[in-house]
Every structure is written in C-alpha cells, then in structure tokens.
Amino acid sequence: MPTVELHVLSGYNPQEKQRLGDALTKAVRFVVPAAPELVTVLIHDMPAQDYYRGGVSRKPALARRDPEEIVRTFLGEMADRSLDRAQQHLSPEFTMQFPGTQPMSGLQELIEWAAPRYRYVAKTYEGFDAMQGPGDAAIVYCRGTLSGEWPDGTAFEGIRFIDRFEIVDDLITRQEVWNDIAETRAKV
Amino acid sequence: MPTVELHVLSGYNPQEKQRLGDALTKAVRFVVPAAPELVTVLIHDMPAQDYYRGGVSRKPALARRDPEEIVRTFLGEMADRSLDRAQQHLSPEFTMQFPGTQPMSGLQELIEWAAPRYRYVAKTYEGFDAMQGPGDAAIVYCRGTLSGEWPDGTAFEGIRFIDRFEIVDDLITRQEVWNDIAETRAKV
Amino acid sequence: MPTVELHVLSGYNPQEKQRLGDALTKAVRFVVPAAPELVTVLIHDMPAQDYYRGGVSRKPALARRDPEEIVRTFLGEMADRSLDRAQQHLSPEFTMQFPGTQPMSGLQELIEWAAPRYRYVAKTYEGFDAMQGPGDAAIVYCRGTLSGEWPDGTAFEGIRFIDRFEIVDDLITRQEVWNDIAETRAKV
Amino acid sequence: MPTVELHVLSGYNPQEKQRLGDALTKAVRFVVPAAPELVTVLIHDMPAQDYYRGGVSRKPALARRDPEEIVRTFLGEMADRSLDRAQQHLSPEFTMQFPGTQPMSGLQELIEWAAPRYRYVAKTYEGFDAMQGPGDAAIVYCRGTLSGEWPDGTAFEGIRFIDRFEIVDDLITRQEVWNDIAETRAKV
Amino acid sequence: MPTVELHVLSGYNPQEKQRLGDALTKAVRFVVPAAPELVTVLIHDMPAQDYYRGGVSRKPALARRDPEEIVRTFLGEMADRSLDRAQQHLSPEFTMQFPGTQPMSGLQELIEWAAPRYRYVAKTYEGFDAMQGPGDAAIVYCRGTLSGEWPDGTAFEGIRFIDRFEIVDDLITRQEVWNDIAETRAKV
Amino acid sequence: MPTVELHVLSGYNPQEKQRLGDALTKAVRFVVPAAPELVTVLIHDMPAQDYYRGGVSRKPALARRDPEEIVRTFLGEMADRSLDRAQQHLSPEFTMQFPGTQPMSGLQELIEWAAPRYRYVAKTYEGFDAMQGPGDAAIVYCRGTLSGEWPDGTAFEGIRFIDRFEIVDDLITRQEVWNDIAETRAKV
C-alpha cells in the first residue's frame, strides 16, 4: 500500500490536483504492482508563506495545461478546418511528419498536400496515451481509425492511424503520423 | 520545488528505486512546470516490521520488470529470430496487429505472413516512450526506421515505423504496428 | 517523545479530532512508557481534492459517535424508564446477559424479569473504559455501585456492578451485566 | 484510508511494533469507521543520533510489557497455585476486590478466603480486552466462565465471571472480580 | 538538497514565518554546505484542533519579536536621546559594560558617564549578526563605526565599534560595548 | 512543541547530526518561545538510492567543519606561536583588522605589529557565539579577557576583548578584533 506525499505550493485547482493524483498513482504502479486502490496520494498544499527555498518564499508556477486536452482540441479544430484556432496551439518551431512526404511546418501546407490524397478524412479515436517525456516535452499519442472519401468520392473507413505529439509550454512542437492509408489504397 | 515522499515497503533494489524516482519526477512535471532539478523525490523504505495495514504487517510485492526493457529484449530476440526466447515474453492472450492484415497471435504466423513482403527487416530505434496505462497494462512505444531487403533483393532503408505494446504482469499482451512500408512500395 | 502524524480526509469536527488525539496518545502509551505530555499528535486534515486512492478522490466517512457517550445516554434513558428512546440505541441483533437468567433481547422483557427482583435500582458510576475491539465493535465498560429497594421496600446501596457493551455502527449489539446482588441477598 | 505515521526512537522489537501497529489502528477505528485494511501505520524508527529534544539526543524507554500477557501469566500461575511466581507480578500497592468481602491485598489471604467457598475453581476464557487508561495504568479485562467443585464435592461449571486489572510499570496494582457464584449457589 | 519540515501550531504571521524560514535555512547551512537555493523549508501550520500533546490541544505561544529589530529600535531611540522609550526595551536586570568603566545599569548613568568623553556620538552600521543562544537569550551583534565630536568640539569619524546584546522575553538584559575610542584618543 | 523534520542524504556522522540538532533547535527558538525540551528534531537520513533530484540520485556534500572548533584551534595555535599550523586555517583572501592599524593579511605581519605593544598576551575565553551568516560565511564570535605583559615587563590582566571571524569552506577569511588595551594603557 504505497503512500505518496506531494508537497507543492498552493495554487493548483482540483482538476490539476486530480491530474497529479492520477499521474503519481500511475508512476508508482509503473514499478510496484499494487492494485490502484492500494496507492494513496496525499497532496500537501503549501501557502507561499509556508514554503521557503534559500530562505525566500516562492510563487507557484502555473500548471501546465493537460497535454491530452490540447491535442484533442487541436485535432477537433483541424477536423472542423478551424485552421486559425488550430494554429494557436502550435509552437513557432512546429513540424509535422506525415507518411511518404517531407516534414511540413504549416497547416495550410498540410491541407494542400492532403488535397489530392482524400476529399476529407475524419478520426475515430480508440485511445490516448499521455506522459511526460525525459526532457521538457510532454508526449501524447492518439490512435484509432480514419474514415472519409477518396478523391474519386468512394468512401473508406476503418483505416488504422496513430499520431504522436510533443508539447512544450502548452504548445505543440511536433506531430508525427502513421497510418494504413497506403496499405489500403494498394489493395484498392 | 515540489517534493515527493514515497513510503513503500522495503525490498526494492537501487535500479527499481531509480525507476520510481524517475517516474515520480515525470509525474510531477506532467502537471507542474518545474525544472527537473527542482523536483525532489524521497523514498522512505519501510521494513516489514514498520508497516501495518489493518494492524497486520505486509510483504512487499516484487517490482514489475521495466516494461521498456522487456520490449527491447523481445524485439532483439525477434530480430535474431530467437522465436523460442521471444515467445517467453508473450502472454497466452497475446495478439498483434500489423498493417493490412487480420490480428495474429503466433510468432510463426507472423514470420509466414511477412515472408512474401520482405526478405528481412531490421529496426533502427529513434526512441521509446513508456508509461503505466489506466488499467493494469504498462504501455511501451518504440519508433524509428526499418531497413532490409524486398523479396526481389533490392535494399530499403529509412522507412518510418512505430510499435505500441501493452505489458501485463511482465508479459506482452498486445503489439500494434504501423509503418510506411506500403507507402514506400507504392512509390517503388 | 513519540510523535504521531495522522493523515485523514477533512470533515471531522474538533470533538472528533480530540477523540482521535486522545485515542492515538493512549495507543502509543499502551506500548511506550512516555509521559503523556511527551506524546505529540499531529492531525493532517486533507481536503478531498488533496487525497487520492487509486487516483480517485474520496469522501470521508462520518465519524463514529463516541461509544461511551452512547452507553451513558442509553443507561440514563433506562434509568428514566424512557424505553422508547433507549430502544433507538439498540441494534436489531441486540442481546443482553444478566446474572442468573437466559439471554434476553427486549427491554420490556428485561423490565418484567427485574420486577420481582427489586422495586427499582439506580447506578452510581465509578468509571468507564472504552476501546475499539479487534473487529468492528467498540467495547465500553461501565462499573460502579447499585442502590435501590428490594421488593419488600427495604433499601440497598453500594452493590458493585459492571456492564460490558459492544457497539457496532453506533448501535448497541450486546450488553453483559455482572453484579453482587445475589451475594448481597444471600447475606440478607 | 487514514494513514498514521509514528516517529519513535529505535529500540523496539518486532513484537512491540506489532502491538503499536495494532493499537494505533484501533485508535483510528475507534473514531473513523474505516475498514481495518484501509488503515495504514508507518513506524519511523529513529536511531538516537537522529532524534533530538532540546538539541540533546535521547535514549528510548524500554517498552511496556504487554499487559494482557502479564494478566494471562498471572492468572495461569494462580491456577497452578504458583503463588511465589504470581506474587512477582504484583505491585506493593496491590489490592483486590472480590464479591461480598472487603478488599484484600495478599494472595495467601485470598486463598484462605476462598477455602470455604469452593474446593477449587478453574477459568475458561471467553475474551480479553486491554487498553491504556487515562493515567499511567493499563486496563485489562478478562471474562469467561468458572468451573470447579463446591465444598461438598459437587461440580459446577459455566458460571460467568469478569476480572478487571490495572497494571502500572508492568506490575498489577488492582484486581476487581465479579461473578455469578452467589447467584448459582442461591439456586442450588 | 536538504528539506526541512516544521510542524508548528497555527498563529504565526508571514513575517514570523519568514524569520523561521530564514533561521532554519541557516541552521542547515551551518553544517551542510548546500547552496541556499537547494535548502527547502516547509512550514506545516497546525490549527489547535489538529495538535495534541498528552491528548490535550494546545495554544501557540506568541512569537518572540525579532531581536535584531529590538536592538535597532533601541539604538535609534538612544541616538535620539528618547531615553523613556529606550528604557521600555530594557529588562529590570539590564546591565551594560562599556570600555574602561564598571558595569552600569541605568541609561541616565550612561549619559552622565559619556558626557566628559564626547559631546555626541552617532553610529554608522556595517552589519548585524543575530542568533539564538544556548539558553533563553537571543544574541545580537551590531558593528560599524562611530562619528561625533570630542569634548573640545573637534570631529571624529570612522572609529570602529561592536556591541553585543542579550535579549530575553523581548527585553534587553545585557549590552556589551567595545570600540577604538581610546586607541584613537591616544593617537590624538 | 514544535517538531522539525530534516530530510538529508546519508553520510553525516553523529557529531555532525548533533550540530544539526542543536542548530535547528536554536533556529526554532529564535522565533518561537518554546522551552528547549519541547522542540523535537527528527533527522531522516536518506541513503543515496532513496533520494532523487531531477530523477537523478545524488551524493551528499561533506559536512562543514564546526566553525567554532576551527576558531578555537586557530587561536590555540596562535597562542602557541605555531604559525605554520595556524596558517593552514586561513584562506588566501584572509584579512585581519586590529585596533588602531590598517588591515593586515599575514600572521608574521601581525606578530611584528604586536611586538612593540606587548611582550605576550593570552586569552581567557568567556564565551563563543557561532552562526551561519546570510551568505556562504559562518560567523564566529569569541570574547573574554586578555592577560600578559607590557613591553616593560609589567603584567596586565582582565582586559576585555572580542574577536569576530568569518569562515568560508572551512577556512578563515576574516578576523576583526576589538579590545580595551588602549583604554587600559591610557589609564596606566
């Protein structure tokens, strides 16, 4: 029955603490095979006046936004072709890597590249995996199936895909995409 | 400067504690944007005689093996065609999903399916991502590029791939594979 | 100077915390012969948003009522013959064991059994002892002396008694009674 | 899922810690209706060099002996008429209170008082309850039934009894006894 | 990266906590050569209802006033010849030791003693050092240079001085003074 | 009854921990007027394998030597004219400030300056005060009286002195001296 105590400056809201509770529980269970209900997390919220480093009180850093939520929002806006809003989630260093082409960096570039490949495409999600990477980037995976229409108007569906995102400072710095579109087209 | 204290039964070795230290640090940084060197983890190792639940002392559960290490070992054995040894990492419920085919469950079946597709294939790793999932499974991602020879003997290389594994009780229960082989073949 | 820290969900009032402070101090002193003023108890009250089990925040259970208080109230109501109110402290499984008779389960049955034994009886308390038992029941002892009138109207007093109660979920499940009434009557 | 941390000087053995784990768990459950397996006790054993009061390191006090064990041993020795050994468990201030007589202070006195009352008597235990009292005394209750022979040689059994003991500094300072002997004799 | 947790009854204000944070950080660094920004202090403020000693809740003692501040105020009032106000910082047992004279105990006595030595004197502070002594007294050192006029009206400046104060219960019990006045006069 | 918990990497010996226990107790009492025996310090010694910063285990820094002990040793060696050994306690940046002269930096220079002032001088200590300063330097004060012989062979004694030392990295960087020698000589 591992018990985790986190001492952290006050200023995180219940949703952010819930994310901490969840992430710390998973961190323990990544190594210790305890049933989830045997892992307790206690968050000791320290008001600034109760927390000193080098004898100096400190301000809490704003929590990172939930990177999975950032990706879900971005993908939703891309699906709606709300490119302006989607763009706001992208870092100036953003690059994306789609199958069979060079890395791209602009959403408009992506739209143009995709145009001859399918009329439209929609994602059905099967699951997300999200974690902090070893550096500053959070990693988010999204997988599921694609449906849509080929350029000739025939429909497709059930084509497997997976996307990998890196998020730094609440902005997406990298998107990598793999899918079975070519596999499917080859069969067609 | 968040501080994490983990109270856990004695019995974990330094490597396992290192993994806990690393996972707990990442868990905090997934939400709190503190620089890594400002996240402290203290592991309070409790001898069985110092730990009671319901007034009863308890035995520590053996640590899970590092799931990334399990996947690396499995992939290495597959690359060496050490199918017997690779098989030992698989759960009886193991299934794998490769592009453009039905789910398979046996390694021999995989070998036969691959035979007409390429003479051999080798993986160059770009990176692994590993985390505990919401249930009992740990998730491991491995991505990089494939090189090898087509059935006609011509060489290929630099074909992007990504594998997703689920590991339960130190055994792989699921492997999903995406890659650009069809994309590349289509161009050839 | 043993120090006890209790981490518990917020929701207990000062009286309930006082009972925790008292019970934890006694628990330590049951084993460690420290003077009471050298035993410190710190209660760390955790708001629900700071407490996770299995990554899920929890609600605190309502505190048990003070079992000694339940017994004092019950005995006072019995002394006042407020049988309806006394009945409300009894579990449906309530049984009582008085000297020289079979176990009884109803208060009216008790009144009838006592009728030929004494006209009335009153308790003077010398002390209560209360503790949690090994199972779900709290145990309360009450001891002191009985005074009253024999059926023939002569008075008696100073007859030693002791009652033992078991309380589960704030209801009395069992009462056992020992006293020197027969000893005294034999002398008379 | 209340968690108790006890910081105490090193020097208690596993049996003593087990008693602490048990007593602290009961102390919590006396107020908080948590299932036993949801109460965790962590004992932080502090070597003398890690523990300071007033800037001065301290020596741990020897643990109290288990008062229930003291009573069991004493009662066993009394049953065996090993009066010398039984005597060693008694404080110089020891007094005992039996039904229908004055307080006594010596074991020989007790033997003589009992002689005309029964040829011998043996105790069958139904249960013990033990706790720290509000002062320095631990309280132990022992209850069950008596069997034996009346002075005329006829047998008796199943007579209810309860004993209450106070123990200070590992010595019994007080014994109080209640039972149904007079009740039973009156019927005979 | 040493971490200090202080559990203390609620009732100290942010300035008092800041002083605790500072003093605890220095205490660690007095022994452990950690950079200040690697020493974390967490103050766990315990409401009276969460803090028990001997099973009894306690009231927090009022914080001591900052002894350096007491000395600065006293010296300022002395400089202004506000003897009445300065007097209020002195314990009834106050004594002072100036160079080349007997201990004095009254401020008026000091003024008279100084009269033939200099017309006036002013202190320029170079630094204060303050700490808790081994007993109840806090120790404050103040050092710097003196400027003023000799009895004949010629000016002096840059004469080194150091004062040592003991403060008990927020009152100055002792002042000791050393300086280079005689050294300077000897040269003149 | 404030309680201090210090979490620190293993590697400090009992003397060093005693110094920590003492310094932390004083730090609390500098602000909170608790009797010393009501301040508890618990040192949680963390083996390197149980302590992570940024997910990386760390080595403990060697403890600073006791600065008061350094000063006592240095002063003893100076009294014995063991200049070579005394020199080893001095930082390359060492400076000293004696009454009525310029700052000096070498011990030989000091000896020469003192030669015409007194034949010899010995210190009788009244007390030491030591603390960590706000920067890297520890501060040590030493006060008491001087005895010795004037250049003409007449004896003196009871002359008050105080020395202030700064110690960085176990080396003395600064010594400041005040005393009543000139005051006394002026009277002679």
Side-chain angles (χ1 to χ4, degrees):
Chain A
M1 189 182 274
T3 301
V4 179
E5 296 184 74
L6 172 65
H7 305 277
V8 75
L9 276 163
S10 294
Y12 299 102
N13 66 31
Q15 285 71 34
E16 291 158 353
K17 287 178 178 177
Q18 167 66 62
R19 287 169 53 209
L20 280 165
D22 182 64
L24 289 164
T25 302
K26 284 179 179 162
V28 170
R29 298 187 68 232
F30 188 59
V31 180
V32 175
E37 62 273 17
L38 294 186
V39 181
T40 305
V41 174
L42 310 173
I43 300 180
H44 299 289
D45 231 18
M46 310 295 298
Q49 65 176 254
D50 291 341
Y51 189 105
Y52 297 87
R53 194 153 58 82
V56 178
S57 74
R58 306 278 170 163
K59 293 237 178 318
L62 284 182
R64 300 187 198 277
R65 288 189 49 206
D66 183 348
E68 178 179 326
E69 204 48 48
I70 292 172
V71 167
R72 282 183 184 273
T73 304
F74 170 75
L75 290 175
E77 290 162 352
M78 288 300 288
D80 298 343
R81 285 296 184 263
S82 303
L83 296 197
D84 286 353
R85 295 172 64 194
Q87 181 68 41
Q88 296 178 348
H89 298 290
L90 302 183
S91 157
E93 288 82 36
F94 175 71
T95 60
M96 57 193 148
Q97 174 68 60
F98 276 69
T101 184
Q102 294 304 306
M104 296 177 280
S105 60
L107 297 182
Q108 192 55 44
E109 184 183 4
L110 169 64
I111 301 294
E112 287 160 17
W113 169 79
R117 297 173 76 92
Y118 35 73
R119 278 201 191 163
Y120 77 85
V121 69
K123 278 170 159 154
T124 302
Y125 302 137
E126 220 175 79
F128 282 76
D129 294 315
M131 84 203 77
Q132 181 65 20
D136 284 335
I139 314 296
V140 178
Y141 284 97
C142 165
R143 64 191 199 287
T145 56
L146 303 173
S147 58
E149 284 183 17
W150 298 121
D152 66 3
T154 57
F156 61 85
E157 65 173 3
I159 299 181
R160 296 186 321 133
F161 80 91
I162 188 163
D163 287 7
R164 181 182 186 273
F165 294 88
E166 296 189 5
I167 292 98
V168 176
D169 292 341
D170 298 345
L171 294 177
I172 300 170
T173 56
R174 194 172 176 199
Q175 179 184 12
E176 293 168 277
V177 173
W178 295 258
N179 57 48
D180 288 353
I181 287 182
E183 188 77 35
T184 308
R185 263 196 325 238
K187 290 194 176 163
V188 174
Chain B
M1 188 181 275
T3 301
V4 179
E5 295 185 74
L6 172 65
H7 304 276
V8 76
L9 276 164
S10 294
Y12 299 101
N13 65 33
Q15 286 70 35
E16 291 157 354
K17 288 179 178 176
Q18 167 66 61
R19 286 169 53 208
L20 281 164
D22 183 64
L24 289 164
T25 302
K26 285 179 179 162
V28 170
R29 298 187 68 232
F30 189 60
V31 181
V32 175
E37 63 272 18
L38 294 187
V39 181
T40 305
V41 174
L42 310 174
I43 300 180
H44 299 289
D45 231 17
M46 310 295 297
Q49 64 176 255
D50 292 341
Y51 189 106
Y52 297 88
R53 193 151 58 81
V56 178
S57 73
R58 307 278 170 162
K59 293 238 178 317
L62 284 182
R64 299 188 198 275
R65 288 187 51 203
D66 182 349
E68 178 179 326
E69 203 50 47
I70 291 172
V71 167
R72 282 183 185 273
T73 304
F74 170 75
L75 291 175
E77 290 162 353
M78 288 300 289
D80 299 343
R81 286 293 183 266
S82 303
L83 296 197
D84 286 354
R85 295 173 64 193
Q87 180 69 42
Q88 296 180 349
H89 299 292
L90 303 182
S91 157
E93 288 81 37
F94 175 71
T95 61
M96 56 193 150
Q97 173 68 60
F98 276 70
T101 183
Q102 293 305 306
M104 296 177 279
S105 60
L107 297 182
Q108 192 55 47
E109 186 184 0
L110 168 64
I111 301 294
E112 286 160 17
W113 169 80
R117 297 174 77 94
Y118 36 74
R119 276 199 194 166
Y120 76 84
V121 69
K123 279 170 158 154
T124 302
Y125 301 138
E126 221 175 75
F128 282 76
D129 295 314
M131 86 204 75
Q132 182 64 22
D136 283 337
I139 314 297
V140 177
Y141 284 97
C142 165
R143 65 191 200 285
T145 55
L146 304 173
S147 57
E149 283 183 18
W150 298 121
D152 65 3
T154 58
F156 61 86
E157 64 172 5
I159 299 181
R160 295 185 323 132
F161 80 92
I162 188 162
D163 288 7
R164 180 183 187 273
F165 294 87
E166 297 188 5
I167 293 98
V168 176
D169 292 342
D170 298 346
L171 294 176
I172 300 170
T173 56
R174 194 171 176 199
Q175 178 184 12
E176 292 169 277
V177 173
W178 294 259
N179 57 47
D180 288 354
I181 286 182
E183 189 77 34
T184 308
R185 261 194 329 236
K187 293 192 175 164
V188 174
Chain C
M1 186 180 274
T3 301
V4 178
E5 296 183 74
L6 172 64
H7 304 277
V8 75
L9 275 164
S10 293
Y12 299 101
N13 65 33
Q15 286 71 33
E16 291 158 354
K17 286 179 178 177
Q18 167 65 62
R19 288 170 52 208
L20 281 165
D22 183 64
L24 289 164
T25 302
K26 285 180 179 160
V28 170
R29 297 187 68 233
F30 188 60
V31 181
V32 175
E37 62 273 17
L38 294 186
V39 181
T40 305
V41 174
L42 310 174
I43 300 180
H44 300 290
D45 231 19
M46 310 295 297
Q49 65 176 255
D50 292 341
Y51 189 106
Y52 297 87
R53 194 152 57 82
V56 178
S57 73
R58 305 279 169 163
K59 294 239 178 313
L62 284 182
R64 297 188 199 278
R65 288 188 50 206
D66 183 348
E68 179 180 324
E69 204 47 48
I70 291 172
V71 167
R72 282 183 184 273
T73 303
F74 171 74
L75 289 175
E77 290 163 352
M78 287 301 288
D80 299 344
R81 286 295 184 263
S82 303
L83 297 196
D84 286 354
R85 295 172 64 195
Q87 181 68 43
Q88 295 179 349
H89 299 291
L90 302 182
S91 157
E93 287 83 36
F94 176 69
T95 61
M96 56 195 149
Q97 173 68 61
F98 276 69
T101 184
Q102 294 304 307
M104 295 177 280
S105 59
L107 297 182
Q108 192 54 46
E109 184 182 1
L110 170 64
I111 300 295
E112 287 161 16
W113 169 79
R117 298 172 77 91
Y118 35 73
R119 276 201 194 163
Y120 76 86
V121 70
K123 278 171 158 152
T124 302
Y125 301 137
E126 220 175 76
F128 282 76
D129 295 314
M131 86 203 76
Q132 181 65 20
D136 283 336
I139 315 297
V140 178
Y141 283 97
C142 166
R143 65 191 199 286
T145 55
L146 303 173
S147 57
E149 283 182 16
W150 298 122
D152 65 4
T154 57
F156 61 85
E157 64 172 4
I159 299 182
R160 296 185 322 131
F161 80 91
I162 188 163
D163 288 7
R164 181 183 187 274
F165 294 88
E166 297 190 5
I167 292 98
V168 176
D169 292 341
D170 299 345
L171 295 176
I172 301 170
T173 56
R174 194 173 177 198
Q175 179 184 13
E176 291 168 278
V177 173
W178 295 259
N179 57 47
D180 288 355
I181 286 182
E183 188 77 35
T184 308
R185 261 194 329 236
K187 291 191 177 165
V188 176
Chain D
M1 189 181 274
T3 301
V4 178
E5 296 184 73
L6 172 66
H7 305 276
V8 75
L9 276 164
S10 294
Y12 299 101
N13 66 33
Q15 285 70 34
E16 291 158 353
K17 288 180 177 176
Q18 167 65 61
R19 286 170 52 209
L20 281 164
D22 183 63
L24 289 164
T25 302
K26 285 180 179 160
V28 170
R29 297 188 67 232
F30 188 60
V31 181
V32 175
E37 64 273 18
L38 294 187
V39 181
T40 305
V41 174
L42 310 174
I43 300 180
H44 299 290
D45 230 18
M46 309 295 297
Q49 65 176 254
D50 291 342
Y51 189 105
Y52 298 87
R53 194 153 57 81
V56 178
S57 74
R58 307 276 169 163
K59 294 240 176 316
L62 283 183
R64 298 188 200 277
R65 288 188 49 206
D66 183 348
E68 178 179 326
E69 204 49 46
I70 291 172
V71 167
R72 283 182 184 272
T73 304
F74 170 74
L75 290 175
E77 290 163 352
M78 287 301 287
D80 299 343
R81 286 294 184 264
S82 303
L83 297 196
D84 285 355
R85 296 173 62 194
Q87 181 67 42
Q88 297 179 346
H89 299 292
L90 302 183
S91 157
E93 288 82 37
F94 176 70
T95 60
M96 54 193 151
Q97 174 68 61
F98 276 69
T101 185
Q102 294 304 307
M104 296 176 279
S105 60
L107 297 182
Q108 191 56 45
E109 185 183 1
L110 169 65
I111 301 293
E112 287 159 16
W113 169 79
R117 299 173 76 94
Y118 35 74
R119 277 201 194 162
Y120 75 85
V121 68
K123 280 171 157 152
T124 302
Y125 302 137
E126 221 175 77
F128 283 75
D129 294 314
M131 85 203 75
Q132 181 65 20
D136 282 337
I139 315 298
V140 178
Y141 284 97
C142 166
R143 65 190 200 287
T145 56
L146 304 173
S147 56
E149 282 182 17
W150 299 122
D152 66 2
T154 57
F156 60 84
E157 64 171 5
I159 299 181
R160 295 186 323 132
F161 79 93
I162 187 161
D163 288 7
R164 181 182 186 274
F165 295 87
E166 297 189 5
I167 292 99
V168 176
D169 292 341
D170 298 347
L171 294 176
I172 300 171
T173 56
R174 194 173 177 198
Q175 178 184 14
E176 292 168 278
V177 173
W178 295 258
N179 58 47
D180 289 354
I181 286 182
E183 189 76 37
T184 307
R185 262 196 325 238
K187 292 193 176 165
V188 175
Chain E
M1 188 181 275
T3 301
V4 179
E5 296 184 73
L6 173 65
H7 305 276
V8 76
L9 275 164
S10 294
Y12 300 102
N13 66 32
Q15 285 71 34
E16 291 158 352
K17 288 179 177 176
Q18 167 66 62
R19 287 169 53 210
L20 281 165
D22 183 63
L24 289 165
T25 302
K26 285 179 179 162
V28 171
R29 298 187 68 233
F30 189 59
V31 182
V32 175
E37 63 272 17
L38 293 187
V39 181
T40 306
V41 174
L42 310 174
I43 300 180
H44 299 289
D45 231 19
M46 310 294 298
Q49 66 175 255
D50 291 342
Y51 190 104
Y52 298 87
R53 193 152 59 81
V56 178
S57 74
R58 307 276 170 164
K59 293 240 176 315
L62 284 183
R64 299 187 199 277
R65 288 187 49 204
D66 183 349
E68 178 180 326
E69 204 48 48
I70 291 172
V71 167
R72 283 182 183 272
T73 304
F74 170 75
L75 290 175
E77 290 162 353
M78 287 301 288
D80 300 342
R81 285 296 184 262
S82 304
L83 297 197
D84 285 353
R85 296 174 62 194
Q87 181 68 42
Q88 295 179 347
H89 299 292
L90 303 182
S91 158
E93 288 82 37
F94 176 70
T95 59
M96 56 194 151
Q97 174 67 62
F98 277 69
T101 184
Q102 293 305 305
M104 296 176 279
S105 60
L107 297 182
Q108 192 54 45
E109 185 183 2
L110 169 65
I111 301 295
E112 287 159 18
W113 169 80
R117 298 172 75 93
Y118 36 74
R119 279 202 192 162
Y120 76 84
V121 69
K123 280 172 156 151
T124 302
Y125 301 137
E126 220 175 77
F128 282 75
D129 294 315
M131 85 203 77
Q132 180 64 21
D136 282 336
I139 315 297
V140 177
Y141 284 97
C142 165
R143 65 190 199 286
T145 56
L146 303 172
S147 57
E149 283 181 16
W150 298 122
D152 65 4
T154 56
F156 62 84
E157 64 171 5
I159 299 181
R160 295 186 322 134
F161 80 93
I162 187 161
D163 289 7
R164 181 182 187 274
F165 295 87
E166 296 189 5
I167 292 98
V168 176
D169 291 341
D170 297 347
L171 294 176
I172 301 171
T173 56
R174 195 173 177 198
Q175 179 184 13
E176 292 168 278
V177 174
W178 296 259
N179 57 48
D180 289 354
I181 286 182
E183 188 77 36
T184 308
R185 263 195 325 238
K187 291 193 175 163
V188 176
Chain F
M1 185 181 273
T3 300
V4 178
E5 296 183 74
L6 172 65
H7 304 276
V8 74
L9 275 164
S10 294
Y12 299 102
N13 66 33
Q15 285 71 34
E16 291 158 354
K17 288 179 178 177
Q18 167 66 62
R19 287 169 53 209
L20 282 165
D22 183 63
L24 289 164
T25 302
K26 285 180 178 160
V28 170
R29 298 187 67 232
F30 189 61
V31 181
V32 176
E37 62 272 19
L38 294 187
V39 181
T40 305
V41 173
L42 310 174
I43 300 180
H44 299 290
D45 230 21
M46 309 295 296
Q49 64 177 256
D50 292 340
Y51 189 105
Y52 296 87
R53 194 152 56 82
V56 178
S57 73
R58 306 278 170 164
K59 293 240 178 313
L62 283 183
R64 298 188 199 276
R65 288 188 51 205
D66 183 349
E68 178 179 325
E69 205 47 48
I70 291 172
V71 167
R72 282 183 185 272
T73 304
F74 171 73
L75 290 175
E77 290 163 352
M78 288 301 289
D80 299 343
R81 286 292 184 266
S82 302
L83 297 196
D84 286 354
R85 294 173 63 194
Q87 181 68 42
Q88 295 178 352
H89 299 291
L90 303 182
S91 156
E93 287 83 36
F94 176 71
T95 61
M96 54 194 152
Q97 175 68 60
F98 276 69
T101 185
Q102 294 304 307
M104 295 176 280
S105 59
L107 297 183
Q108 193 54 46
E109 184 183 1
L110 169 64
I111 301 294
E112 287 161 14
W113 168 78
R117 297 173 76 94
Y118 36 73
R119 277 200 194 164
Y120 77 85
V121 69
K123 280 171 157 152
T124 302
Y125 301 138
E126 222 175 77
F128 282 76
D129 295 314
M131 86 204 74
Q132 180 64 21
D136 282 335
I139 315 297
V140 178
Y141 284 96
C142 166
R143 65 192 198 286
T145 56
L146 304 173
S147 57
E149 284 182 16
W150 298 121
D152 65 4
T154 56
F156 61 84
E157 62 172 6
I159 300 181
R160 296 185 323 132
F161 80 91
I162 188 162
D163 288 7
R164 181 182 187 274
F165 295 87
E166 296 188 5
I167 292 98
V168 176
D169 292 342
D170 298 345
L171 295 176
I172 301 171
T173 56
R174 195 172 177 199
Q175 180 185 11
E176 292 168 278
V177 173
W178 296 259
N179 57 48
D180 289 354
I181 285 182
E183 187 78 35
T184 307
R185 262 195 326 236
K187 292 194 176 163
V188 176

